[in-house]
Amino acid sequence: MNASQSTLPFDPDAAAGGALGLFVERALPAEPGVWDELRAGDGSVRPAWRQFADWMPEPAGADLAADLDRRLLQIAQQIRLDGVTHNVFDDQGAPMRPWSLELLPLLIEPADWAGIEAGVMQRAALLERVLDDLYGERRLLAEGLLPPALALRHPGYLRPMIGARVPGGLRLHIVAFDLARGPDGRWWVVAQRTQGPSGLGYVLHNRLLVSRQFPDAFRELRVQHLAASYRRLLDTVEAAAREVARGATPRVALLTPGPYSETYYEHAYLARYLGLPLVEGGDLTVRDDRVYLKTVEGLEPVHALLRRLDDDWCDPLELRPDSTLGVPGLLQAARAGQVVMANALGSAFLESPAVQGFLPGICERLTGEPLRMPALPTWWCGEAAAWQDVREQLDGKFVRSTFPHGGRTSQVHDGHQLRVDEDPDAWTIQGRLRFSRAPIWGGAALNPRPAMVRVYAIAEGGGRWHVLPGGMTRVSRREDASVSMQRGGSSLDTWVLTDGPVDTFSMLPRRLEVDDIAARRRPVSSRTGENLFWLGRYTERTEQLVRLARATLLQIDAESDADLAVQRALSAMAVASGLAPAGVPTLEQSASRFERALLGALGDADGAWSVAFNLRALEQASQALRERLSSEQWGLIRSMREAFEAAFPGGPTRPPPLPEVLPALDRLALRLAAVTGVQTDRMTRDHGWRLLAVGRLLERLIGLASRLEALLQAGALGSAAGVDLLLELFDSAITFRARYQRHEDLLALADLLVFDDSNPRAFAGVLRRLRTELRKLPLDPNGAAALLARLPPGGTGLTLESLRGASDAVIVERLLALSVSLRAAAMALADDVGTRFFTLAHGQDRRV
């Protein structure tokens, strides 16, 4: 036996081998006075964990501990590959840590789950009745079962919603309860979440990763599946939405605060799993008390919002005027019963810890039954008797703020430093509970950690509730009032075992009909369209910058006297594109100073138009599109940015030497080619993708026209070096040499780079594709004609035949004029596209 186990009275499994033997040998003892989830009081491994050990996979080698280390590493790598984050931001607004998931699940046996399920369903139904009363007859306040100050002083009790009718009769569609097991093995309620309970997306992802590591154990332990619960949630919301839709197919959307939300990843993941559009407040508008989604096709009605945005941010007109996250008029639409809010606005006050102390009495009054599951002992200091009873006994208790404080529902304070007497209503005392210890594999040992489980109750209508068979277990390194991912906690998959059949329900509820297929074509919101448009632009812009930077640095690295016109052109292009700062000596004046300036600017993420800046902008655009982009595409964009920034560890002030930068640019060019390939070949051709393509093509036309313009103005195309540079920037060198061999005539260059519509980087090729994609956008004939009028009516506006017999000087003059006009046309067209699709003017609300 390991010496660390010597505190246990007896270990009947000490001689066990295999995984069970590893559990016994490597499990560090939990401290006295807590419930050990792995082992019973006599030191034996609990039955569920014995079964788990029996079905653990046999490693290829003899070292099971090393195999567990390998599996833990696989989970961490998959989390990074999938881009799973919990965005706790630092002072600079950067996310500080990825999502953390442990290898081993928490096992909940059938008898334990039956008690949890009964207690949670009872509490969820009770909270629905409390909420219905407080926004209706308010008997609880009149009878003194709930002190008026707890509701009326709480900012989450929304007086404008008193008497408001809710579609479907449900105010709470989903409620989360944070549970912990005490030293006696009983489960206790630590907190409840009623606004927009987080974690459902993480629960799904955790299950996906952990069940793949232990497939046999998952199957043989008869772990309940999760899909049916998510289907029930969606069915309940859609049923209420049908009342609002009045015969039309209801549209449900998931409302998120946006990419800077701590849990944005799970919003995108959950929206994709449920098949819902992910919307931000700016995507929505309220007209005539109804909610509409701003799409590239106009306004589309929204009948229900599964929200992940807290109450006070939802409407800047009636709640927080400083909110940029909400929808002006949303409260009025909800008050008029024209949109289903899941959960209803005004449920936040139920999250106050003080409410817990009054629920036993309320339950007896409303149902005639006691609460089945206890909560932490609670004293609200606003009750003089309660405060006097506990004020001299604060040791071993937590002092919490009754009302939201510092942006959080409740904060824990040091009771010995508080002046509760100044405002007793604002404080609540709660007893401490020593949480059970879950086994965590790490450091070649099983370490016991305090664990808390978040379980979810889902309304089914008619007063019935369902509890998702699982949840999000969180663990911390030290005992605390709660276990939080914000403070460095980690998560576990939660396995609920059953003695009966395993529910194998799928998210596909029935055979779809023709009308269902049409209804499930998700509209492209204006914000999504704009982000896709800029995703295309930033991808193309970065690719062109990398190509120009490589060409410039290779010219410097060649250590030869290049044509002065080429040097002038490269200098001008580098400054105009942001690769080099304005005012730097040109290549012609001082190649060494120009090189240092260019190398410094490449990695300057704060310098607009630099490669590093555009990579960050590209990642930000993709971050806002998480529900539309595959994890591979998003991970490729993120890793591309990280790899390039890693090549510049000293930042812009201490750039690496040229021999190190050139390989970094080569690697970046390859990754950019992969990103472009994914955008071209792996995305559905809906209106969003067409806007991405239009953005990329416009940026290509602007960039190529600018490059040709600069080379023509510098007179650089009279030399072989200038011609080679032009072909490199147009990515057309191989085709040109194969077609024209050693010829470098201006007419030949014009043929391939201007007039050849089969060349995707020739003006004619870009314009042809641009016209095609513009015509396929949702435009009426007049709108399409207005956008297309920005471009030449056919070809490029210049023909090869028109250059017959022209001198080189005339060809230069006409190509220069064409480049200037096409660049201006593309820039104006980009503004027109933004005005038409990303800003909804009143005259364009055709679908209202």
Side-chain angles (χ1 to χ4, degrees):
M1 180 186 297
N2 190 301
S4 64
Q5 296 280 18
S6 60
T7 57
L8 296 176
F10 171 65
D11 191 347
D13 299 315
L20 182 60
L22 181 73
F23 284 178
V24 173
E25 176 187 353
R26 302 294 181 92
L28 303 179
E31 61 267 38
V34 298
W35 181 274
D36 190 338
E37 296 288 347
L38 177 67
R39 292 182 296 194
D42 63 357
S44 63
V45 175
R46 297 188 186 277
W49 281 104
R50 295 176 67 91
Q51 287 182 275
F52 183 88
D54 289 341
W55 291 102
M56 280 181 60
E58 293 289 338
D63 193 346
L64 182 56
D67 183 66
L68 292 179
D69 288 339
R70 179 183 61 81
R71 293 177 183 277
L72 183 60
L73 180 61
Q74 284 179 345
I75 286 180
Q77 289 173 336
Q78 190 62 50
I79 286 174
R80 180 169 179 79
L81 181 64
D82 292 344
V84 188
T85 56
H86 184 262
N87 293 331
V88 181
F89 292 95
D90 61 17
D91 294 337
Q92 284 71 45
M96 296 172 62
R97 63 191 297 264
W99 182 251
S100 178
L101 173 63
E102 301 298 338
L103 174 63
L104 299 177
L106 179 74
L107 305 182
I108 301 181
E109 298 194 57
D112 284 329
W113 183 251
I116 290 173
E117 192 173 36
V120 165
M121 285 194 295
Q122 182 195 39
R123 281 182 171 265
L126 178 63
L127 292 180
E128 172 67 26
R129 293 186 65 174
V130 169
L131 202 60
D132 191 59
D133 176 81
L134 290 177
Y135 285 102
E137 298 180 6
R138 292 186 285 178
R139 288 185 302 151
L140 296 177
L141 299 182
E143 296 177 14
L145 291 169
L146 189 70
L150 285 186
L152 300 180
R153 185 175 170 183
H154 198 293
Y157 181 67
L158 302 182
R159 290 175 178 81
M161 296 301 295
I162 294 175
R165 183 185 66 84
V166 291
L170 273 176
R171 297 180 186 274
L172 296 177
H173 295 79
I174 179 168
V175 184
F177 295 91
D178 290 334
L179 310 180
R181 196 199 296 261
D184 60 354
R186 296 177 68 195
W187 289 92
W188 295 71
V189 176
V190 178
Q192 55 200 27
R193 296 289 179 259
T194 54
Q195 293 190 78
S198 64
L200 283 174
Y202 293 121
V203 168
L204 279 172
H205 197 268
N206 286 358
R207 172 59 54 86
L208 181 67
L209 296 190
V210 174
S211 62
R212 285 178 176 176
Q213 295 297 328
F214 307 106
D216 293 337
F218 183 81
R219 181 183 62 255
E220 297 299 331
L221 266 65
R222 307 183 68 80
V223 181
Q224 281 288 19
H225 295 187
L226 304 175
S229 299
Y230 291 85
R231 183 69 248 174
R232 282 187 169 97
L233 173 61
L234 198 54
D235 285 345
T236 301
V237 175
E238 286 182 340
R242 288 190 188 95
E243 180 181 321
V244 178
R246 299 176 184 174
T249 301
R251 174 173 286 118
V252 182
L254 195 152
L255 177 60
T256 174
Y260 291 100
S261 165
E262 292 175 353
T263 55
Y264 180 72
Y265 170 83
E266 75 143 346
H267 303 169
Y269 190 88
L270 187 60
R272 181 182 296 174
Y273 182 75
L274 297 177
L276 303 178
L278 184 66
V279 301
E280 299 177 22
D283 296 331
L284 304 173
T285 186
V286 176
R287 306 287 172 86
D288 298 325
D289 294 344
R290 290 183 173 274
V291 179
Y292 294 90
L293 175 64
K294 305 172 188 175
T295 80
V296 297
E297 297 184 72
L299 295 185
E300 299 278 359
V302 173
H303 306 103
L305 291 171
L306 184 62
R307 66 183 178 97
R308 292 298 177 265
L309 183 61
D310 286 349
D311 283 357
D312 53 347
W313 298 99
C314 281
D315 187 343
L317 290 183
E318 297 194 53
L319 300 174
R320 288 189 59 151
D322 61 334
S323 170
T324 60
L325 304 177
V327 186
L330 184 60
L331 202 65
Q332 172 58 25
R335 189 162 50 234
Q338 299 296 346
V339 63
V340 176
M341 301 296 296
N343 286 334
L345 294 168
S347 61
F349 75 93
L350 290 176
E351 297 181 354
S352 171
V355 172
Q356 294 281 6
F358 296 92
L359 288 181
I362 293 174
C363 186
E364 290 275 5
R365 170 67 178 81
L366 295 182
T367 70
E369 298 179 351
L371 283 173
R372 296 187 179 97
M373 181 179 291
L376 298 180
T378 302
W379 297 264
W380 177 53
C381 298
E383 282 191 317
W387 172 227
Q388 292 302 321
D389 182 56
V390 79
R391 66 182 304 157
E392 303 301 330
Q393 305 174 38
L394 294 182
D395 287 344
K397 297 180 178 64
F398 290 111
V399 180
R400 294 183 178 272
S401 54
T402 301
F403 309 114
H405 183 76
R408 300 186 58 159
T409 299
S410 177
Q411 285 189 330
V412 178
H413 298 265
D414 183 349
H416 298 287
Q417 298 176 5
L418 289 173
R419 302 172 66 180
V420 176
D421 289 320
E422 293 183 0
D423 187 5
D425 289 4
W427 304 104
T428 299
I429 314 298
Q430 282 192 320
R432 291 177 182 263
L433 178 71
R434 300 207 66 195
F435 297 169
S436 68
R437 289 344 190 219
I440 305 301
W441 178 260
L446 285 169
N447 303 278
R449 295 281 184 258
M452 184 167 66
V453 185
R454 174 167 292 185
V455 298
Y456 301 86
I458 297 166
E460 295 184 323
R464 299 184 305 277
W465 288 80
H466 165 80
V467 182
L468 182 145
M472 185 173 66
T473 300
R474 292 164 290 175
V475 294
S476 65
R477 292 187 175 274
R478 62 183 179 86
E479 194 86 70
D480 204 346
S482 63
V483 180
S484 170
M485 300 298 290
Q486 293 174 322
R487 294 193 291 270
S490 188
S491 69
L492 282 66
D493 189 16
T494 307
W495 289 12
V496 172
L497 315 185
T498 179
D499 293 328
V502 173
D503 188 347
T504 57
F505 180 86
S506 169
M507 275 295 290
L508 298 176
R510 58 181 174 82
R511 183 178 182 272
L512 295 176
E513 303 296 337
V514 172
D515 290 342
D516 297 318
I517 297 296
R520 288 174 183 265
R521 290 174 180 162
R522 291 192 295 173
V524 179
S525 72
S526 296
R527 175 188 57 84
T528 297
E530 186 170 17
N531 281 314
L532 286 165
F533 179 75
W534 280 101
L535 186 71
R537 293 195 69 174
Y538 282 129
T539 303
E540 181 67 26
R541 184 180 296 176
T542 308
E543 186 175 345
Q544 291 193 26
L545 284 174
V546 170
R547 192 171 292 278
L548 177 58
R550 289 170 67 198
T552 305
L553 292 174
L554 285 170
Q555 181 69 41
I556 296 172
D557 194 43
E559 297 183 354
S560 60
D561 295 329
D563 184 279
L564 294 181
V566 172
Q567 292 186 18
R568 285 193 294 269
L570 283 170
S571 301
M573 286 188 287
V575 172
S577 62
L579 284 176
V584 67
T586 65
L587 277 170
E588 182 182 359
Q589 294 168 333
S590 175
S592 59
R593 294 180 64 184
F594 188 87
E595 176 189 338
R596 287 196 299 273
L598 192 149
L599 291 176
L602 277 175
D604 184 5
D606 296 322
W609 296 82
S610 71
V611 170
F613 175 88
N614 279 278
L615 285 172
R616 285 199 175 182
L618 179 59
E619 183 179 15
Q620 288 172 357
S622 66
Q623 174 77 357
L625 295 164
R626 288 299 300 272
E627 82 281 12
R628 290 184 63 96
L629 304 184
S630 67
S631 58
E632 292 84 4
Q633 183 173 176
W634 192 88
L636 180 60
I637 292 173
R638 186 197 65 229
S639 64
M640 181 171 64
R641 189 267 306 164
E642 291 174 345
F644 188 75
E645 288 187 356
F648 291 81
T653 57
R654 291 184 293 119
L658 181 59
E660 294 181 15
V661 172
L662 284 171
L665 288 172
D666 290 339
R667 291 190 294 269
L668 178 56
L670 286 174
R671 290 188 171 100
L672 280 166
V675 169
T676 301
V678 170
Q679 292 175 0
T680 303
D681 195 48
R682 291 194 176 185
M683 295 181 69
T684 303
R685 263 61 167 170
D686 61 4
H687 294 317
W689 180 87
R690 299 198 188 286
L691 286 167
L692 182 151
V694 167
R696 186 170 59 236
L697 292 167
L698 285 172
E699 192 66 36
R700 182 173 298 177
L701 189 58
I702 292 169
L704 295 179
S706 300
R707 306 295 187 260
L708 180 58
E709 180 184 342
L711 287 164
L712 290 169
Q713 286 179 334
L717 296 184
S719 67
V723 171
D724 288 342
L725 176 60
L726 176 66
L727 293 171
E728 170 62 23
L729 296 178
F730 274 66
D731 193 18
S732 299
I734 294 176
T735 303
F736 186 83
R737 295 305 178 194
R739 183 180 298 181
Y740 295 105
Q741 288 80 42
R742 290 173 293 176
H743 291 282
E744 295 176 346
D745 301 347
L746 276 176
L747 206 58
L749 290 170
D751 174 47
L752 179 63
L753 305 183
V754 176
F755 304 121
D756 189 349
D757 65 1
S758 68
N759 181 1
R761 296 191 177 269
F763 289 166
V766 174
L767 289 166
R768 177 180 58 80
R769 284 197 58 208
L770 189 53
R771 293 188 190 96
T772 298
E773 300 305 339
L774 286 172
R775 290 189 180 101
K776 292 180 180 180
L777 287 173
L779 294 161
D780 57 38
N782 291 334
L787 293 184
L788 291 170
R790 290 287 189 184
L791 304 175
T796 64
L798 184 69
T799 65
L800 183 62
E801 183 63 28
S802 68
L803 300 180
R804 183 184 295 276
S807 64
D808 283 355
V810 171
I811 294 175
V812 166
E813 179 184 351
R814 293 184 181 178
L815 291 181
L816 182 57
L818 178 65
S819 299
V820 172
S821 66
L822 288 180
R823 177 170 57 84
M827 294 174 69
L829 182 54
D831 290 340
D832 291 346
V833 169
T835 301
R836 170 57 187 84
F837 293 107
F838 313 141
T839 304
L840 281 174
H842 289 289
Q844 294 168 332
D845 299 338
R846 304 187 309 277
R847 292 179 175 249
V848 178

